[in-house]
């Protein structure tokens, strides 16, 4: 029986490092563990989103138990964690250490132009604060 090709494949820390060096589209990382109940519940929705946004956004999964060094580098403190990353085109700011290489995609396109932000907050999704000077990815729990 052939293995099903996933729209959101599992990656190693090394593969993720390569993706972070060679940006082509925004990247969403699902940091998870196989023992994490909420991670398992979210998995089908993550795969569905990956299929819906194929070609626009790249979705990958990182098993934090298998890749503890990468999880630490990304600042993963709880599971599940989704990281929304995009390339920062302001290379001068990046070189001066004033902006991170990976930034939240303009705060998810202005929270989709703020039309749905109240729904997101009331739906239990929490966005952590983010400044352009912060050098770690922003996590959505």
């Amino acid at each position: 029986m052939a293995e099903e090709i996933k729209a959101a494949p599992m990656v190693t820390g090394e593969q993720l490092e390569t993706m972070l060096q060679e940006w082509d589209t925004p990247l969403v990382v699902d940091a998870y563990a196989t023992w994490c109940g909420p991670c398992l519940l979210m998995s089908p929705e993550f795969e569905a989103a990956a299929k819906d946004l194929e070609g626009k956004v790249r979705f990958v999964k990182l098993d934090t138990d298998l890749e503890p060094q990468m999880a630490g580098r990304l600042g993963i403190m709880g599971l599940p964690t989704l990281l929304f990353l995009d390339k920062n085109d302001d290379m001068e700011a990046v070189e001066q250490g004033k902006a991170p290489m990976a930034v939240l995609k303009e705060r998810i396109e202005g929270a989709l132009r703020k039309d749905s932000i109240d729904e997101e907050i009331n739906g239990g999704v929490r966005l952590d604060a983010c400044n352009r000077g912060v050098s770690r990815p922003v996590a959505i729990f």
Side-chain angles (χ1 to χ4, degrees), residues 105-117:
K105 177 71 175 167
E106 290 306 314
R107 299 205 178 59
I108 310 295
E109 299 299 343
L112 300 176
R113 298 294 153 238
K114 195 160 168 98
D115 292 336
S116 64
I117 193 143

Side-chain angles (χ1 to χ4, degrees), residues 6-127:
K6 299 281 188 176
M10 292 195 322
V11 296
T12 65
E14 187 176 318
Q15 290 169 321
L16 182 57
E17 185 70 39
T18 300
M19 288 176 195
L20 294 173
Q21 300 294 323
E22 300 171 2
W23 291 93
D24 54 349
T25 59
L27 179 65
V28 180
V29 180
D30 174 12
Y32 77 101
T34 57
W35 51 262
C36 169
C39 299
L40 298 175
L41 290 172
M42 186 182 75
S43 186
E45 296 297 327
F46 190 76
E47 180 67 19
K51 287 178 182 174
D52 289 347
L53 296 171
E54 193 168 3
K56 297 177 186 175
V57 180
R58 190 169 187 180
F59 287 73
V60 297
K61 297 176 69 70
L62 180 74
D63 186 332
T64 58
D65 285 340
L66 297 177
E67 301 292 340
Q69 287 184 316
M70 180 56 78
R73 288 182 58 204
L74 293 172
I76 308 297
M77 303 296 280
L79 299 175
T81 298
L82 296 179
L83 302 172
F84 297 80
L85 307 172
D86 198 6
K87 184 175 182 178
N88 186 348
D89 292 324
D90 187 354
M91 290 309 294
E92 183 177 331
V94 170
E95 289 168 5
Q96 295 174 0
K98 294 180 181 175
M101 281 299 291
V103 295
L104 186 62
K105 177 71 175 167
E106 290 306 314
R107 299 205 178 59
I108 310 295
E109 299 299 343
L112 300 176
R113 298 294 153 238
K114 195 160 168 98
D115 292 336
S116 64
I117 193 143
D118 289 330
E119 292 172 18
E120 293 298 320
I121 291 170
N122 294 329
V125 175
R126 190 184 102 213
L127 294 175

